């Protein structure tokens, strides 16, 4: 008797797969998100799944000659840093970010630079019309000869155009608008579509050594829309982030097969597109208050790059039953922990105070070395006494109030000195290891008590 074909279902939000339909997804708990997955095409004996590479038999690793380790500069030093020194030919690069943050602008500028250096570039847009893109291009400036534009969402047509044009670099803006026949009638942007489209792009990138940039939208939670599988398939994942009220944008690498992760590039959105901000520390400290409590400067490490940032705190008496706490650019839960440490170990009575923490410049920092600066800003605001303007401060704070070592203290101190800071408050343990090479005065602290004495 012929067996009925196995039908499986998947969640269009998170990609969870199940053998039967369900009202609520057990993984992401969304309702009514299950859709029927198309049955996989039957594999006949003669049908092989397409291979990414031409080598079909095992080869000795020492005999492999890499095509070329050379990197192609993107024309933006910030972008090159994030990519680990430039573009590796044939890589698939995913660029994610909130709507309107500037992904299309960034990639259009990269396309222009690559085309100007002699590459043939194809920009595929599924979101905007040619005239909309031309308007943006006009703001950015002059465009070279060999940059082509294709407004299309059907992947089959795009593939045909790619094989006719044979570009060196392709941009797909965005993955969620593309539609592949292979996925069989499922809506664009769904898990199945995103997976099928990425698979095809991967084959193009690896098979023909074409660099492919893919734009991806992010969900409310800040992760790439569609399944995580998208992030697994590509070589590099970059996130473009920033606050809407600030003109600064940060490009951060979350995954990079050809370089280190956590590298950042800083850009400024101007009337004429995005421009590199090579001296980010100076830009981040612009407009710092002359005098005033609750403002301190921290040196945080973003990848291998030291970055000076201003941390602000505002602690004031609350007129609510439950005091309000807010953090922008820093982990909210961490603020609560640090306030509890200051309350218990330092005796600061802040349980009836509202507290607001802000890292200026619209940058989000996740580094533990921020702890000490956040504590100092809170103490300074609570006591209404200004922290020394010429001092930087960094260190991790433990639950007993002890100040713990942080990595790369030398680099942080060098950056602080470069920007004219006279003093640095750092973990005592680091003080001995970091013999002062320059003129900057180093103050070692063992616990948050020591910091309280400084303010
Ligand atoms: P865009 O690249 O369209 O964002 P995304 O592709 O991530 O959705 O950027 C849109 C924003 O950038 C828009 O609000 C206008 C602004 N912008 C400038 O401020 N200056 C410029 O030169 C350009 C091209 C855009
Ligand atoms: Mg866009």
């Amino acid at each position: 008797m012929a067996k009925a074909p196995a039908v499986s279902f998947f969640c269009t939000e998170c990609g969870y797969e199940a053998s039967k339909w369900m009202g609520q997804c057990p993984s992401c708990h969304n309702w009514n998100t299950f859709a029927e997955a198309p049955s996989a095409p039957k594999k006949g004996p003669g049908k092989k799944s397409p291979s990414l590479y031409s080598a079909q038999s095992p080869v000795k690793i020492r005999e492999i000659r890499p095509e070329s380790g050379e990197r192609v500069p993107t024309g933006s030093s910030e972008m090159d840093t994030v990519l680990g020194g430039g573009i590796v030919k044939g890589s698939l690069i995913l660029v994610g970010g909130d709507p309107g943050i500037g992904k299309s602008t960034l990639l259009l500028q990269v396309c222009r630079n690559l085309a100007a250096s002699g590459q043939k570039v194809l920009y595929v847009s599924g979101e905007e019309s040619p005239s909309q893109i031309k308007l943006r291009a006009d703001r950015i400036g002059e465009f070279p000869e060999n940059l082509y534009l294709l407004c299309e969402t059907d992947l089959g047509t795009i593939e045909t155009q790619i094989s006719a044009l044979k570009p060196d670099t392709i941009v797909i803006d965005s993955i969620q608008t593309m539609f592949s026949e292979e996925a069989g009638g499922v809506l664009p942007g769904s898990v199945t579509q995103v997976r099928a489209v990425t698979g095809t792009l991967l084959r193009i990138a690896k098979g023909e050594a074409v660099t492919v940039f893919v734009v991806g939208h992010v969900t409310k939670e800040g992760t790439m829309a569609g399944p995580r599988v998208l992030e697994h398939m590509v070589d590099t994942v970059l996130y473009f982030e920033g606050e809407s009220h600030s003109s600064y944008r940060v490009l951060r690498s979350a995954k990079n097969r050809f370089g280190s992760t956590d590298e950042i590039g800083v850009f400024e959105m101007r009337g004429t597109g995005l421009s590199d901000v090579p001296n980010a520390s100076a830009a981040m400290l612009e407009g710092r208050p002359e005098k005033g409590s609750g403002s301190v400067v921290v040196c945080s490490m973003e990848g291998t790059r030291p970055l000076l940032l201003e941390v602000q705190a505002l602690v004031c008496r609350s007129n609510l039953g439950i005091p309000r706490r807010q953090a922008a650019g820093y982990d909210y839960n961490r603020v609560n922990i640090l306030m509890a440490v200051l309350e218990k170990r330092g005796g600061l009575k802040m349980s009836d105070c509202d507290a607001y923490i802000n890292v200026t410049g619209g940058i989000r920092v996740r580094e533990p070395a921020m702890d000490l600066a956040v504590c100092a800003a809170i103490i300074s605001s609570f006591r209404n006494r200004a922290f020394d303007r010429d001092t930087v401060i960094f260190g991790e704070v433990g639950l007993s109030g002890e100040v713990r070592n942080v990595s790369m203290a030398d680099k942080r101190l060098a950056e602080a000195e470069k920007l004219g800071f006279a003093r640095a408050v750092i973990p005592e343990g680091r003080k001995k290891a970091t013999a002062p090479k320059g003129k900057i005065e180093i103050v070692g602290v063992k616990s948050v008590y020591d910091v309280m004495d400084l303010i």
Side-chain angles (χ1 to χ4, degrees):
M1 206 170 75
K3 246 169 74 182
V7 182
S8 64
F9 293 84
F10 70 95
C11 169
T12 50
E13 284 294 317
C14 72
Y16 181 88
E17 286 175 3
S19 59
K20 61 180 192 333
W21 188 87
M22 278 181 266
Q24 187 190 23
C25 173
S27 171
C28 67
H29 306 296
N30 277 312
W31 288 93
N32 263 341
T33 54
F34 265 77
E36 195 173 311
S39 51
K42 287 250 163 48
K43 272 195 199 149
K47 270 195 183 169
K48 273 196 295 184
S49 59
S51 164
L52 292 181
Y53 309 98
S54 49
Q56 301 278 343
S57 50
V59 286
K60 288 183 185 149
I61 196 159
R62 47 187 288 180
E63 283 167 11
I64 301 172
R65 297 270 166 271
E67 276 152 27
S68 78
E70 125 191 42
R71 305 273 183 154
V72 184
T74 57
S76 149
S77 60
E78 297 294 304
M79 182 93 180
D80 287 348
T81 311
V82 179
L83 289 171
I87 302 171
V88 174
K89 256 194 127 192
S91 57
L92 184 57
I93 302 162
L94 179 64
V95 181
D98 290 331
I101 204 78
K103 303 179 292 297
S104 304
T105 309
L106 180 73
L107 289 177
L108 197 59
Q109 280 180 258
V110 168
C111 284
R112 181 195 54 181
N113 298 343
L114 289 175
S117 71
Q119 285 202 16
K120 199 188 269 183
V121 184
L122 176 64
Y123 187 101
V124 184
S125 177
E127 304 203 327
E128 290 159 306
S129 68
S131 53
Q132 275 176 311
I133 296 169
K134 183 71 171 76
L135 279 178
R136 179 182 294 120
D138 285 343
R139 294 178 75 172
I140 296 172
E142 283 290 304
F143 271 73
E145 185 72 4
N146 39 1
L147 171 54
Y148 295 84
L149 178 65
L150 176 66
C151 291
E152 180 59 67
T153 54
D154 178 50
L155 196 66
T157 317
I158 295 169
E159 258 191 288
T160 319
Q161 296 298 338
I162 289 173
S163 40
L165 188 68
K166 297 210 181 339
D168 303 296
T169 301
I170 305 166
V171 172
I172 302 289
D173 189 358
S174 64
I175 186 90
Q176 278 91 5
T177 54
M178 295 298 150
F179 177 84
S180 166
E181 288 287 341
E182 276 172 43
V186 190
L187 284 180
S190 67
V191 180
T192 323
Q193 279 291 355
V194 166
R195 198 184 291 177
V197 173
T198 315
T200 308
L201 294 175
L202 195 63
R203 209 168 59 232
I204 294 170
K206 302 297 166 189
E208 286 157 48
V210 184
T211 309
V212 182
F213 284 93
V214 179
V215 173
H217 292 291
V218 296
T219 59
K220 281 196 283 309
E221 289 76 40
T223 52
M224 209 69 75
R228 274 234 101 91
V229 56
L230 182 56
E231 293 191 5
H232 293 302
M233 287 166 88
V234 301
D235 297 310
T236 304
V237 179
L238 308 179
Y239 278 101
F240 206 34
E241 51 186 48
E243 300 292 332
S244 49
H245 54 77
S246 153
S247 62
Y248 292 110
R249 303 277 183 270
V250 175
L251 186 68
R252 197 184 285 278
S253 82
K255 164 183 173 179
N256 194 351
R257 286 192 184 141
F258 309 112
S260 62
T261 51
D262 285 330
E263 288 296 347
I264 66 160
V266 183
F267 297 86
E268 190 181 358
M269 182 63 95
R270 303 226 180 117
T272 51
L274 289 155
S275 51
D276 285 8
V277 182
N279 190 354
S281 293
M284 292 300 144
L285 295 184
E286 233 168 60
R288 202 149 58 96
E290 279 300 327
K291 254 196 208 120
S293 61
S295 157
V296 305
V297 175
V298 64
C299 190
S300 134
M301 290 301 296
E302 298 296 326
T304 54
R305 173 178 181 160
L307 186 63
L308 294 180
L309 296 165
E310 186 192 343
V311 179
Q312 297 183 325
L314 182 65
V315 181
C316 53
R317 206 91 13 258
S318 176
N319 43 22
L320 300 168
I322 303 165
R324 220 166 34 173
R325 308 262 154 105
Q326 255 175 31
Y330 189 65
D331 182 17
Y332 165 80
N333 294 319
R334 195 78 204 146
V335 172
N336 280 330
I337 294 173
L338 292 174
M339 290 191 74
V341 169
L342 289 176
E343 179 135 15
K344 172 103 181 167
R345 314 279 170 202
L348 300 185
K349 287 272 158 283
M350 293 187 292
S351 51
D352 56 349
C353 291
D354 289 339
Y356 307 93
I357 306 292
N358 181 29
V359 179
T360 59
I363 293 213
R364 269 171 244 158
V365 208
R366 301 160 186 124
E367 216 211 354
M370 292 282 289
D371 292 353
L372 200 56
V374 172
C375 286
I378 292 173
I379 300 167
S380 160
S381 175
F382 181 71
R383 293 189 168 166
N384 213 8
R385 275 186 234 153
F387 190 74
D388 180 26
R389 216 181 124 78
D390 289 324
T391 303
V392 292
I393 180 166
F394 58 84
E396 182 179 345
V397 175
L399 291 187
S400 322
E402 81 279 17
V403 176
R404 312 178 73 106
N405 280 349
V406 294
S407 59
M408 294 189 264
D410 295 17
K411 275 198 169 173
R412 299 177 203 253
L413 291 172
E415 178 79 357
E417 192 168 349
K418 200 172 96 190
L419 277 121
F421 283 83
R423 254 192 341 156
V425 177
I426 71 171
E428 177 74 28
R430 270 282 153 223
K431 194 182 163 188
K432 293 184 198 84
T434 340
K437 288 187 199 87
K439 287 192 288 287
I440 193 159
E441 180 200 340
I442 296 176
V443 182
V445 286
K446 282 200 191 112
S447 74
V448 285
Y449 292 118
D450 301 341
V451 180
M452 291 171 70
D453 292 342
L454 292 174
I455 303 168

